[in-house]
Amino acid sequence: MPGTQAPREGGTALIAPVLGASVAGAALQLQQPTLWPVAVYVVFTVAGLALLALSASRRLASPWPVLLALTGALLAGGGACGWRAQAFASQALAPALEGRDLRVTGVVAAMPQRNETGLRFRLAVESAWLGAQEVRLPPRLQLGWYGGAGAGELTRQPADLRAGERWQMTVRLKAPHGHLNPHGFDYELWLWEQGVQATGYVRAGPREAPPQRLGMTWQHPVEQARQAVRDDILARVDDRQRGGIVAALVTGDQNAIDRADWDVFRATGVAHLMSISGLHITLFAWVAAAVVGWLWRRSPRLCLALPAQHAALAGGLLLATGYALFSGFGVPAQRTVWMLATVAALRFAGLRWPWPLVWLLACAVVVALDPWALLQPGFWLSFVAVGVLFATDAGPTGRTRGAAHHVRALLREQTVVTLALTPLTLLLFGQASVVGLVANLLAIPWVTLVVTPLALLGVLAPPLWDAAALAVQALAVVLAWMAALPYAAVSVAAPPLWAGAAGVLGGVVLALRWPWPMRLLGLPLLLPVLLWQPPRPAPGAFELLAADVGQGNAVIVRTAAHTLVYDAGPRYGPESDAGHRVLVPLLRALDERVDVLMLSHRDADHTGGAAAVLAQQPQAQVLGSIEPGHELQALRPVAPCQAGQRWQWDGVGFEVLHPAPGALAAGGKPNTLSCVLRIQAAPGVDGAGGAVALLAGDIEQPQEQALVMAGANLAADVLLVPHHGSKTSSSAAFLDAVQPAVALAQVGYRNRFGHPAPAVLQRYAERGIRVADTPRCGAALWRSDAPQAVQCHRHAAQRYWHHRIP
């Protein structure tokens, strides 16, 4: 064809190590607990680029060009990442502005998300005032607007916000601060990647000036279109549950999908299909390129100006980028667009590079544009899957194949990806779908060839959204049946990095086109992932893990062979609680089989996650101060906890000190009925008498006084601070009786109750008791064999994007 060039190899000997070194530089910078001064990163970047330029000199003898190039790429990759991080961190919210009423003017920057309690939205700040003084805020805020009774007063119902609208409103902000637990989701990293440096809520009570809509702007036109299409889909499709999936496939709004559906999708291994993923964008690019190429070939004049294959490549890339933008241009979509752009650039340049180099170049481009993608599971799943498909591709045969061949190829590719990604999925999530291979064989062609095209064409012909919803319904029936099968999904303990890496290598070896005797060498590499067991306390010893659940209690107690969970944390919203978000992933990562779930009392900040824990732990018995008729009694009978109950596990003694027998039946304030649990290690294991932990629930000063007066054995090495440090608890007499070395306060950052109260903290300080609170500590680990120490996960896993309380 006129204008076509023969592909050329190009010199690639040094490219691969340089690309790898640049990625490694960024990866090393991501391990920093704190950022260095920006000047250091500037020097690193400039020096790295200079070394790269110097390595190209022909006057240098081997091995200096290689050494200079690798060093330069390492410095440039790390320096550029740190430079960007410093620039972003410099826009952080000033601590003095936290919790203050600020009058803010800004534009709604993304389509709002509405639920039963209100709505969440992002605001691009234009100006902000603290009283009569103008103040500087971060450019983008994540805000909530909640209607009804909140914080003890009636607030105005949220307005119907639209993307692109300019509003003026009173807000209260705080620095991004999430829960930080072992093997848990890093909310602060997610906000960092989203460009958000402050969160808060709209003050819409009767004492505040009402929020004012100042008008519509031309800004964020894509978000305006996305919101209009999403709302049209939800209004058109009668089934809200299926309509949410259709909306997610068209606009990328994953919040439109119910949590129950997500549970089914994860259990069957098809969650990647139910949002705008790399698969959807790649398929869209392929279809768009085919259509553009076909149309281009209809015009000889156009073909003379630009070869049809080049026009198809450019058109497919541009249209796929438009689709990604319309879907919200989330991080997975961005990665896919950058990968496609990298491959397209090589094609346009006429370069024929070996697949490992193409793969590594795409990886380096993604990391250069978004270095924090290295910390996202989706990054590794995407690139490992693509790399394995590259490595196992037999290449073109030059022969025409029939439909049967394509079916066999699809089956083989899905098998290869499943073999390679299962160990990686276990490493990243601690769970993998056993039925995932079959489920994906059914779901991938159905979603990509039927559901998604119908959903997208519905933008032009809305009745097709009804057809897409019916197609979703048909698939949902099959997936729900598969998810309900015994052992549809398996979970293992979260392995250490070395074991996970060995497992991934084993999966790749099994998937390669090698002779089977060589492939079977991958089986031993899988064993560390499958058989790994986290270390447990020795017989007679125990440990406490006070999870970071915000404003609520949730403590995991582990002995040599048994587990007790004391309280289950709070409920955050209609479809969100500490059980689903924190405890279930944590128990799965530790491979725990819970023997007893003890719910100290009925308050929602102690029982909010109980249903999720019970669903994951069907064998667990339940003890607690939960009255008959409570909704939890319908899930599993709750035996009352009462003073005098004793048992022993693996040499560790457990004793309930409060409430008195019959107190629950007599009724009373829930806090006064809190189960107080004393745990003691075996004598001789941790010194004379064995170390002791006291979990006090929400008892208040009258109950504390009663325990002291009754002569209860309250002395302990570690105390779970009663009632989160409320001023109604932690009396002087009680602390004198307990005399702990360490106290654990499970509270939320800047909680509205002011826990722990300053007067209470003063009483602890006067007695030399170290208080570890979750906002500063994150999840706190205390061990009976080291009773004077507490390990804070926020300190151990500290990275520069994590919030530090001044």
Side-chain angles (χ1 to χ4, degrees):
M1 182 171 293
T4 303
Q5 300 179 23
R8 46 195 175 84
E9 297 289 342
T12 60
L14 197 56
I15 294 178
V18 167
L19 293 174
S22 68
V23 173
L28 288 173
Q29 195 280 329
L30 297 179
Q31 306 306 310
Q32 288 192 282
T34 57
L35 288 172
W36 295 333
V38 67
V40 175
Y41 298 117
V42 173
V43 170
F44 277 14
T45 304
V46 173
L49 294 176
L51 289 176
L52 282 171
L54 184 61
S55 69
S57 174
R58 297 184 179 180
R59 298 180 180 179
L60 296 175
S62 179
W64 286 107
V66 175
L67 294 177
L68 291 176
L70 293 180
T71 305
L74 191 72
L75 289 175
C81 182
W83 193 349
R84 288 177 58 187
Q86 267 289 14
F88 184 69
S90 66
Q91 301 173 335
L93 178 70
L97 297 178
E98 288 190 281
R100 307 293 297 274
D101 284 349
L102 305 170
R103 193 67 176 170
V104 176
T105 301
V107 176
V108 179
M111 59 179 182
Q113 308 290 335
R114 185 176 289 274
N115 57 34
E116 291 86 345
T117 61
L119 57 83
R120 302 281 296 173
F121 64 99
R122 288 187 185 166
L123 189 74
V125 176
E126 294 180 330
S127 65
W129 296 80
L130 176 61
Q133 178 185 2
E134 188 171 12
V135 294
R136 183 187 66 83
L137 294 182
R140 180 169 294 190
L141 310 177
Q142 180 85 24
L143 297 174
W145 187 346
Y146 308 108
E153 65 180 19
L154 191 67
T155 61
R156 298 179 179 89
Q157 290 296 325
D160 183 22
L161 294 187
R162 311 295 298 179
E165 289 181 337
R166 177 175 285 111
W167 280 78
Q168 186 177 77
M169 55 185 63
T170 302
V171 302
R172 221 171 244 191
L173 302 177
K174 62 180 180 180
H177 191 99
H179 307 146
L180 211 55
N181 294 283
H183 316 291
F185 176 68
D186 192 339
Y187 178 65
E188 293 169 44
L189 172 62
W190 181 81
L191 286 176
W192 176 282
E193 241 195 331
Q194 300 296 315
V196 174
Q197 291 176 291
T199 63
Y201 61 95
V202 178
R203 298 274 289 169
R207 291 195 295 261
E208 287 83 32
Q212 293 182 324
R213 181 185 183 276
L214 303 180
M216 176 61 75
T217 72
W218 57 268
Q219 300 178 51
H220 310 291
V222 174
E223 290 297 319
Q224 294 181 37
R226 291 180 67 217
Q227 185 173 359
V229 170
R230 181 198 63 182
D231 293 350
D232 287 346
I233 293 173
L234 297 179
R236 171 82 194 187
V237 179
D238 294 332
D239 188 332
R240 172 63 179 79
Q241 198 170 5
R242 303 307 166 215
I245 297 175
V246 175
L249 290 171
V250 177
T251 67
D253 182 11
Q254 297 188 26
N255 292 309
I257 301 179
D258 290 348
R259 188 176 69 184
D261 286 328
W262 279 123
D263 291 341
V264 170
F265 299 153
R266 293 189 183 102
T268 53
V270 301
H272 63 101
L273 293 173
M274 300 305 166
S275 58
I276 304 300
S277 66
L279 178 63
H280 294 99
I281 295 173
T282 303
L283 177 66
F284 188 91
W286 180 80
V287 173
V291 172
V292 170
W294 183 83
L295 292 174
W296 201 268
R297 291 185 180 92
R298 305 283 75 80
S299 171
R301 181 174 298 178
L302 291 177
C303 290
L304 289 173
L306 182 67
Q309 60 265 42
H310 285 184
L313 189 63
L317 177 61
L318 289 175
L319 289 173
T321 302
Y323 178 38
L325 286 170
F326 188 77
S327 70
F329 210 52
V331 174
Q334 293 176 32
R335 285 197 298 264
T336 304
V337 168
W338 294 331
M339 288 175 63
L340 292 173
T342 301
V343 174
L346 289 176
R347 291 283 187 88
F348 280 127
L351 296 175
R352 181 189 293 162
W353 284 3
W355 75 259
L357 197 56
V358 176
W359 179 84
L360 189 56
L361 176 61
C363 177
V365 169
V366 170
V367 171
L369 294 169
D370 179 17
W372 300 279
L374 283 168
L375 302 174
Q376 300 296 339
F379 173 88
W380 295 102
L381 291 171
S382 298
F383 275 100
V384 170
V386 171
V388 168
L389 290 175
F390 267 136
T392 58
D393 184 20
T397 62
R399 291 183 295 173
T400 302
R401 303 284 188 167
H405 167 77
H406 293 297
V407 171
R408 288 195 299 270
L410 175 64
L411 177 61
R412 184 187 176 281
E413 288 175 0
Q414 188 57 46
T415 303
V416 164
V417 170
T418 300
L419 283 174
L421 292 190
T422 295
L424 182 59
T425 303
L426 290 173
L427 172 65
L428 295 173
F429 304 110
Q431 184 181 28
S433 174
V434 175
V435 299
L437 175 60
V438 176
N440 275 281
L441 285 173
L442 295 173
I444 287 177
W446 188 253
V447 172
T448 55
L449 301 178
V450 178
V451 179
T452 301
L454 287 173
L456 292 175
L457 290 172
V459 176
L460 303 176
L464 292 178
W465 286 330
D466 296 319
L470 290 174
V472 167
Q473 178 64 38
L475 179 63
V477 171
V478 176
L479 294 178
W481 174 78
M482 298 181 74
L485 292 174
Y487 306 106
V490 295
S491 60
V492 299
L497 182 59
W498 66 266
V504 173
L505 179 60
V508 171
V509 169
L510 284 171
L512 290 174
R513 286 181 172 270
W514 289 352
W516 273 107
M518 295 182 64
R519 292 196 203 185
L520 293 178
L521 295 176
L523 289 177
L525 296 174
L526 298 177
L527 296 180
V529 171
L530 299 176
L531 302 180
W532 172 259
Q533 289 295 318
R536 298 190 69 92
F542 70 98
E543 68 181 28
L544 304 180
L545 179 59
D548 185 354
V549 295
Q551 185 67 23
N553 280 154
V555 180
I556 299 173
V557 183
R558 304 170 76 227
T559 68
H562 292 82
T563 302
L564 177 144
V565 175
Y566 182 88
D567 282 338
R571 178 176 293 277
Y572 307 121
E575 289 199 351
S576 178
D577 57 65
H580 276 98
R581 284 174 51 179
V582 178
L583 289 177
V584 167
L586 185 53
L587 292 169
R588 182 184 297 132
L590 297 174
D591 197 26
E592 292 296 336
R593 185 181 186 275
V594 176
D595 298 279
V596 172
L597 171 62
M598 179 175 284
L599 302 172
S600 63
H601 61 295
R602 64 169 295 170
D603 283 358
D605 58 333
H606 298 254
T607 63
V613 173
L614 293 175
Q616 187 211 29
Q617 304 283 340
Q619 77 291 333
Q621 300 179 357
V622 188
L623 291 175
S625 291
I626 306 296
E627 74 280 5
H630 191 280
E631 59 183 8
L632 288 174
Q633 294 280 6
L635 298 178
R636 201 162 305 172
V638 183
C641 63
Q642 50 193 19
Q645 291 173 329
R646 295 182 179 86
W647 68 93
Q648 193 173 88
W649 287 339
D650 311 313
V652 177
F654 293 77
E655 180 182 5
V656 177
L657 304 181
H658 182 81
L664 179 62
K669 184 180 177 182
N671 287 355
T672 66
L673 301 173
S674 292
C675 306
V676 177
L677 182 64
R678 185 178 187 270
I679 311 169
Q680 183 170 11
V685 174
D686 308 292
V692 176
L694 188 66
L695 309 182
D698 274 2
I699 61 170
E700 299 179 345
Q701 292 187 13
Q703 293 76 53
E704 295 175 353
Q705 184 66 20
L707 287 170
V708 173
M709 296 300 295
N713 187 3
L714 298 175
D717 297 276
V718 63
L719 169 68
L720 183 64
V721 173
H723 200 183
H724 318 287
S726 165
K727 60 184 179 182
T728 62
S729 302
S730 297
S731 61
F734 180 74
L735 295 181
D736 290 338
V738 179
Q739 296 183 332
V742 176
L744 306 177
Q746 290 190 293
V747 297
Y749 177 62
R750 298 192 66 86
N751 64 85
R752 63 189 180 93
F753 307 103
H755 296 161
V760 171
L761 290 177
Q762 181 62 30
R763 286 199 288 271
Y764 282 91
E766 289 170 352
R767 290 159 178 79
I769 303 170
R770 177 190 173 188
V771 177
D773 63 78
T774 43
R776 290 177 173 82
C777 186
L781 177 64
W782 177 90
R783 302 174 58 90
S784 64
D785 55 8
Q788 304 297 312
V790 60
Q791 300 175 30
C792 292
H793 185 67
R794 185 168 282 273
H795 299 164
Q798 180 71 57
R799 295 294 183 267
Y800 57 80
W801 55 82
H802 289 148
H803 177 228
R804 292 175 180 80
I805 301 177

